[in-house]
Amino acid sequence: MSPNFPIATLDLAIIGGYFLIVFAIGYVIAKRTESGDDLFLAGRSLAWGAIGFSLFASNISSTTLIGLAGSAYQNGIAVSNYEWMAGVVLVFMAIFLIPFFIRSQISTIPEYLEKRFNVQSRKYFSGLTIVTSVLIDTAGGIYAGTIVIKTFFPELFPGLGPEMDFYTVCFILALIAGIYTAAGGLAAVVYTDIMQAVILIIGSIMITYYAFAEFDFSWAQATAQLPTGHLDLIKPLDDESLPWLGTLIGVPILGFYYWGLNQYIVQRILGAKDLKNARWGAMLGGGLKLLPLFIMVLPGAFAFTLYPDLPQGDMVFPTLVTDLLPVGVVGIVLAGLVAAIMSSIDSTLNSASTLIVIDFVKPQRPDITPQQTATIGRITTIVLMLFAALWAPQIREFPGLWDYLQSMLAYLVPPVVAIFLLGIFWQRMNGPAAFSTLVGGHVLSLTVFLLATDGILFETAPIDLHFTIIAGILTFLCMGLVVFVTLMTDTEPTAEQLDDLTWSGRAVEIHEDLAFYQDYRIQAAFVLSLTVAMLVVFW
């Protein structure tokens, strides 16, 4: 990206005001945070509004804002399939998974695996999640955030030189997120996320407004010069960006893992004050995830007409911001960009700390007090922050490795999705099948990854499929492995492993007499109806 994006003093003041508010929120909440339950799950007191907005904000990173616009510029709006699919997945969550998570009073997603299967599956999944959270999510968020900030502010600390300047920005981002996360825990993360989500939405709406204004608010003008298929959500099977089969079988799998099994996302739902608020929050989050198509993706598509000669897609977002937006509005949008950076970093820090303390420390030290748990959690958060800040600059030295790590998520997900889906809906499934599928499925995934990636085992990879299609196929194969091992072993799940932990063994659900708009089933139908309408329009 070009570094020549001048920022006005007023815009800098707005960004500075944002940081002050974030610290104020963190300080106030930190004073109320005493126990481990407070630190990791906000005392299980979160209301639906906080949950919904936090789900949205934690999901939108700086790479999301820049990547969605850039992909839409280059390949069309199909990239938003990852966004609207979240609503479908969250509806599924509200019906089938959230009741189990809330009633079992788990603190981490891996904890469910121990209750349903065995401790080995819990430790394996928890360890895997910690590593990916720190090395990919947290460090990646810091790295991407640093790149973005230096795009707009190329010489924040010119006296240090370019190398130390980059390291300094990395540490400042990590330090800011780490301090209020360690102090206030999940509550600080969630309540700063509310502000961040509002800023993100307002800033993105402003970009859309000014981009559309360039065409006199005429849809016909805005779309007249776009390439054929640029505004199609469903792409041909041979499309390199996202083929229709990948949307059908791969995107739901990746979405189910991200929104249903990813600790740093689901932690908000686990912190709900009750089942009703958990479900309402999920529905609000699903509704908000329909917005990115209109306020983040379409501006990037329109930019194809406005700026046809940009050298790369990553230039689209900075160009829209600095070329179209007036002074003051730029500050709001950049505050939203910083908000996206911070919400991703703080969320992954808090979730990784939660997993370490709840899944590894507490089982070894069951007698530690709630206050000691909180202290250990804060120390863990700071250590993880420092580790991620040190690792983030190294990503520049391994661009190929970084690409591999990112694409590996499509290979890491299938075994996990397979054991959760079958574990919830098939009572016969047992612990040996779960652990065998986690290990064996990842061995299979690694093998396919090596065969599908150019330049590792072969100059030209023998498997030439889009990663979303591979994710779908691997998930079905892992399900087959679950069935095979289950039927080949005599281990029968106990009553404790089935009662209210599987769909057939669930407690009878009694629906309260609520107003129609408070019924999560009505809310779910509304979210799905909007999704279908959007698909019909942009098919």
Side-chain angles (χ1 to χ4, degrees):
M1 286 187 245
S2 170
N4 299 313
F5 296 108
I7 308 300
T9 303
L10 176 60
D11 298 317
L12 293 174
I14 292 173
I15 298 171
Y18 159 78
F19 279 112
L20 289 176
I21 295 174
V22 166
F23 275 119
I25 293 173
Y27 175 76
V28 171
I29 294 177
K31 295 176 69 175
R32 306 174 186 172
T33 303
E34 299 178 355
S35 69
D37 212 36
D38 292 337
L39 189 72
F40 300 131
L41 294 174
R44 299 188 191 267
S45 64
L46 297 179
W48 64 274
I51 294 169
F53 279 109
S54 186
L55 287 172
F56 179 80
S58 294
N59 169 245
I60 303 296
S61 65
S62 58
T63 48
T64 305
L65 289 173
I66 292 175
L68 287 178
S71 182
Y73 178 88
Q74 294 177 315
N75 304 308
I77 67 171
V79 67
S80 65
N81 290 349
Y82 296 101
E83 305 302 310
W84 62 257
M85 187 64 76
V88 178
V89 172
L90 285 168
V91 166
F92 181 88
M93 282 273 298
I95 297 172
F96 297 110
L97 267 72
I98 290 177
F100 302 140
F101 291 165
I102 298 298
R103 288 173 183 151
S104 60
Q105 288 288 290
I106 59 173
S107 299
T108 68
I109 297 302
E111 190 177 350
Y112 176 86
L113 291 181
E114 181 174 3
K115 288 177 176 288
R116 176 64 179 89
F117 300 117
N118 50 44
V119 69
Q120 294 92 336
S121 298
R122 174 184 181 177
K123 301 290 188 184
Y124 182 95
F125 180 43
S126 185
L128 178 71
T129 305
I130 292 167
V131 171
T132 56
S133 291
V134 177
L135 293 184
I136 297 179
D137 296 324
T138 309
I142 295 171
Y143 172 75
T146 301
I147 294 293
V148 170
I149 287 176
K150 287 185 67 62
T151 297
F152 292 97
F153 312 100
E155 293 187 341
L156 281 173
F157 307 98
L160 297 177
E163 184 68 16
M164 286 305 298
D165 188 38
F166 192 92
Y167 270 89
T168 303
V169 175
C170 281
F171 269 94
I172 288 175
L173 281 178
L175 187 64
I176 293 171
I179 287 175
Y180 71 77
T181 303
L186 182 62
V189 171
V190 167
Y191 289 114
T192 54
D193 276 354
I194 295 174
M195 180 186 69
Q196 290 160 349
V198 172
I199 295 175
L200 277 170
I201 293 171
I202 292 174
S204 298
I205 288 174
M206 287 179 172
I207 292 178
T208 305
Y209 174 85
Y210 284 101
F212 203 26
E214 293 294 301
F215 302 98
D216 297 324
F217 301 101
S218 168
W219 182 261
Q221 287 187 40
T223 59
Q225 299 181 46
L226 295 180
T228 302
H230 213 63
L231 295 181
D232 293 345
L233 287 174
I234 308 302
K235 295 286 191 177
L237 187 59
D238 60 353
D239 184 79
E240 294 184 358
S241 59
L242 184 56
W244 67 264
L245 186 57
T247 299
L248 180 65
I249 68 170
V251 175
I253 296 296
L254 298 174
F256 177 70
Y257 170 81
Y258 183 86
W259 293 99
L261 309 177
N262 190 337
Q263 178 70 23
Y264 97 83
I265 290 294
V266 186
Q267 198 157 330
R268 286 129 187 79
I269 293 173
L270 298 180
K273 62 173 64 176
D274 54 37
L275 179 57
K276 295 194 300 293
N277 277 275
R279 279 171 158 165
W280 293 341
M283 293 303 92
L284 175 59
L288 290 174
K289 286 301 291 178
L290 298 178
L291 293 178
L293 169 62
F294 303 99
I295 65 176
M296 298 176 187
V297 175
L298 283 177
F302 296 158
F304 185 87
T305 301
L306 295 174
Y307 312 103
D309 300 319
L310 290 179
Q312 55 181 330
D314 286 349
M315 287 283 292
V316 173
F317 182 84
T319 302
L320 287 171
V321 170
T322 55
D323 192 49
L324 298 184
L325 303 185
V327 173
V329 176
V330 171
I332 294 174
V333 172
L334 291 186
L337 187 64
V338 174
I341 295 169
M342 303 307 296
S343 64
S344 299
I345 298 172
D346 61 25
S347 298
T348 54
L349 277 175
N350 184 252
S351 66
S353 174
T354 303
L355 290 169
I356 290 174
V357 175
I358 300 299
D359 289 342
F360 291 95
V361 176
K362 287 197 73 174
Q364 297 299 317
R365 300 176 57 187
D367 297 330
I368 59 175
T369 66
Q371 290 72 26
Q372 289 174 322
T373 303
T375 300
I376 295 171
R378 289 189 170 107
I379 294 172
T380 303
T381 300
I382 296 299
V383 171
L384 292 175
M385 175 204 75
L386 293 173
F387 184 83
L390 285 170
W391 168 247
Q394 312 310 315
I395 295 172
R396 295 176 299 169
E397 309 300 325
F398 305 99
L401 174 62
W402 182 244
D403 290 340
Y404 293 156
L405 287 174
Q406 290 285 57
S407 63
M408 273 296 286
L409 290 177
Y411 298 86
L412 293 172
V413 163
V416 179
V417 171
I419 66 169
F420 268 93
L421 283 177
L422 289 180
I424 288 171
F425 293 108
W426 188 29
Q427 286 194 328
R428 174 68 175 84
M429 182 183 169
N430 56 30
F435 187 68
S436 298
T437 300
L438 284 173
V439 177
H442 282 136
V443 171
L444 174 63
S445 293
L446 177 60
T447 303
V448 175
F449 172 73
L450 296 175
L451 295 174
T453 306
D454 293 336
I456 298 183
L457 296 181
F458 303 92
E459 190 66 29
T460 301
I463 297 178
D464 183 20
L465 292 172
H466 194 270
F467 71 90
T468 54
I469 298 176
I470 290 176
I473 294 173
L474 283 174
T475 301
F476 292 125
L477 291 175
C478 288
M479 286 181 172
L481 181 58
V482 168
V483 173
F484 176 78
V485 176
T486 297
L487 297 179
M488 290 295 102
T489 54
D490 297 328
T491 304
E492 294 283 348
T494 65
E496 290 77 14
Q497 291 175 316
L498 299 178
D499 290 346
D500 213 22
L501 292 171
T502 61
W503 183 247
S504 299
R506 72 192 187 284
V508 177
E509 186 170 348
I510 300 174
H511 293 284
E512 299 180 39
D513 187 16
L514 301 171
F516 78 94
Y517 60 85
Q518 294 179 311
D519 190 328
Y520 81 93
R521 294 168 296 182
I522 300 296
Q523 297 167 357
F526 182 68
V527 171
L528 293 178
S529 297
L530 289 178
T531 303
V532 171
M534 189 175 67
L535 285 171
V536 170
V537 172
F538 291 100
W539 186 272

